Amino acid sequence: MKPLILRNVKLNPIVAEYVNQFYDVISVEELTAENAHQIEVLLTNGTGQAPKELLDRLPNLKLIDDFGVGFDGVDIAECKRRNITVCTTPGVLTDDVADLALAHILAFSRQMCLAHHEVVSGAWAAGHKSLGLGRKVSGKRVGIVGLGRIGKAVAQRCHGFNMSLAFYDRYLSADKAAADLKAMLGVEPELTRYDDLVELARNSDYLVVCAAATPENHGLINEEVLTALGPQGTLINIARGVLVDEAALVKVLQEGKLGGAGLDVFAHEPNVPAALLTMKNVVLTPHIASATVETREQMASLVIGNLKAFREGTPYLTALTL
Ligand code: DGY
């Protein structure tokens, strides 16, 4: 009989193949008072939920092995208190997430979804051209909310589009940000730091949300920020849905106070506010920022490496410092 391992999400197939060699996998739904004490490892992902109520049921939990960079569903304070290690997959998905932010900027501004529809619907061939003009991307102003690994990778790409760069990040000074970007770009970019998110929005054409979600920043992108971004402005969110006040977003889009939005994440996934589904000035994707073959392989390799470290008692590859 193999030891039990718990999952609270569907497993990536590469991870599943490794895990199945050594463990019998059970889901949270299969957890009972009898088997819970056997669980030492929980397999989750960037949006998986491991609240205190679940952790309380797992008295012998030692490792949370997260197939993702986000860990906002995990009760970190409780993990710290109980000395539970949390491993994530940082770094390997940075490029993909930043690429998707740029894909959203371009898709929205150049009306890719509407244009595609115009061709496949036969409207173009029939001479019923209804598509208006898009908006130029190169040379515009981008405001980045959260200039961590992913935010900087977005900045790097936007610099390639000759965009001016500005950011809001409570934990990063202007000097450090400029030095970090200079190291990435080889040149010192024009970079402005804003203490005030509303001011950043007012001075941006694109506001790209890259911050990690914490209980303190839920609803950070509120009606005031969105209104400051304005009728020519575009919100891009590739971070977490809860960072944006979705009701306010729908309202400002309906009232024409915001130009548009490119969203990969939503507050209550997989549910998307119904009003967004019929709007022409939004581009919506189903949380696919890290969903490429190459990146998912690298994420799987880190998750497996951390589980191997647990089994062999060697140092973890990517444990969070709690
Ligand atoms: C992450 O890794 O956190 C991504 O958002 C996927 O969940």
Side-chain angles (χ1 to χ4, degrees):
M1 201 127 129
K2 294 184 228 167
L4 289 185
I5 195 165
L6 181 66
R7 64 170 178 88
N8 63 356
V9 291
K10 190 166 177 274
L11 296 187
N12 164 273
I14 305 171
V15 172
E17 195 182 326
Y18 176 83
V19 168
N20 288 331
Q21 295 174 57
F22 307 103
Y23 295 94
D24 284 329
V25 184
I26 60 165
S27 66
V28 172
E29 292 70 37
E30 293 167 307
L31 198 63
T32 64
E34 287 70 45
N35 63 23
H37 71 280
Q38 294 178 44
I39 301 295
E40 293 187 323
V41 181
L42 168 64
L43 299 168
T44 188
N45 69 19
T47 54
Q49 298 301 307
K52 186 167 184 319
E53 300 77 66
L54 176 62
L55 301 181
D56 282 350
R57 296 171 67 194
L58 306 169
N60 295 315
L61 187 67
K62 297 191 173 56
L63 169 65
I64 298 182
D65 201 0
D66 176 356
F67 187 93
V69 73
F71 49 87
D72 40 300
V74 178
D75 187 329
I76 292 294
E78 186 61 8
C79 291
K80 190 172 175 176
R81 193 184 70 74
R82 284 182 45 193
N83 213 10
I84 298 167
T85 301
V86 181
C87 292
T88 60
T89 64
V92 295
L93 46 71
T94 304
D95 282 340
D96 273 3
V97 180
D99 288 351
L100 194 81
L102 268 291
H104 267 281
I105 289 176
L106 290 164
F108 174 75
S109 300
R110 304 308 307 270
Q111 308 181 92
M112 295 297 285
C113 301
L114 299 176
H116 174 81
H117 183 71
E118 184 146 312
V119 175
V120 299
S121 69
W124 189 43
H128 303 315
K129 195 170 180 305
S130 63
L131 201 63
L133 297 178
R135 286 275 175 179
K136 181 167 177 165
V137 171
S138 295
K140 289 284 168 63
R141 303 166 301 168
V142 65
I144 300 174
V145 181
L147 203 66
R149 256 188 307 255
I150 292 170
K152 284 177 198 143
V154 169
Q156 184 185 30
R157 284 153 177 75
C158 289
H159 182 74
F161 279 86
N162 215 12
M163 296 166 93
S164 68
L165 309 175
F167 75 101
Y168 170 86
D169 190 321
R170 278 176 292 175
Y171 308 102
L172 192 65
S173 70
D175 287 350
K176 175 82 171 78
D180 289 351
L181 283 182
K182 188 175 176 192
M184 290 169 82
L185 298 167
V187 290
E188 191 149 351
E190 188 195 322
L191 178 69
T192 310
R193 180 181 189 277
Y194 284 88
D195 274 332
D196 182 349
L197 190 48
V198 174
E199 276 308 303
L200 174 69
R202 189 166 289 129
N203 290 285
S204 298
D205 298 303
Y206 301 95
L207 192 69
V208 184
V209 186
C210 301
T214 62
E216 301 78 53
N217 64 13
H218 284 199
L220 180 71
I221 310 297
N222 58 22
E223 185 168 347
E224 197 186 355
V225 174
L226 295 167
T227 305
L229 188 54
Q232 303 300 329
T234 307
L235 176 77
I236 305 292
N237 190 3
I238 43 76
R240 283 291 182 266
V242 290
L243 294 168
V244 176
D245 178 341
E246 278 185 347
L249 176 63
V250 167
K251 180 169 179 275
V252 293
L253 285 168
Q254 282 170 336
E255 292 172 353
K257 291 181 179 161
L258 177 68
L263 308 170
D264 186 50
V265 288
F266 304 89
H268 306 289
E269 296 174 7
N271 299 314
V272 174
L276 293 179
L277 302 178
T278 51
M279 288 183 188
K280 288 201 166 155
N281 54 344
V282 297
V283 174
L284 310 175
T285 51
H287 202 146
I288 54 163
S290 69
T292 66
V293 172
E294 296 85 347
T295 292
R296 288 290 164 90
E297 278 174 11
Q298 286 186 286
M299 291 165 74
S301 154
L302 283 179
V303 169
I304 290 170
N306 285 314
L307 187 54
K308 200 159 176 273
F310 170 76
R311 294 182 54 247
E312 295 174 358
T314 54
Y316 290 112
L317 306 182
T318 51
L320 295 179
T321 309
L322 301 182

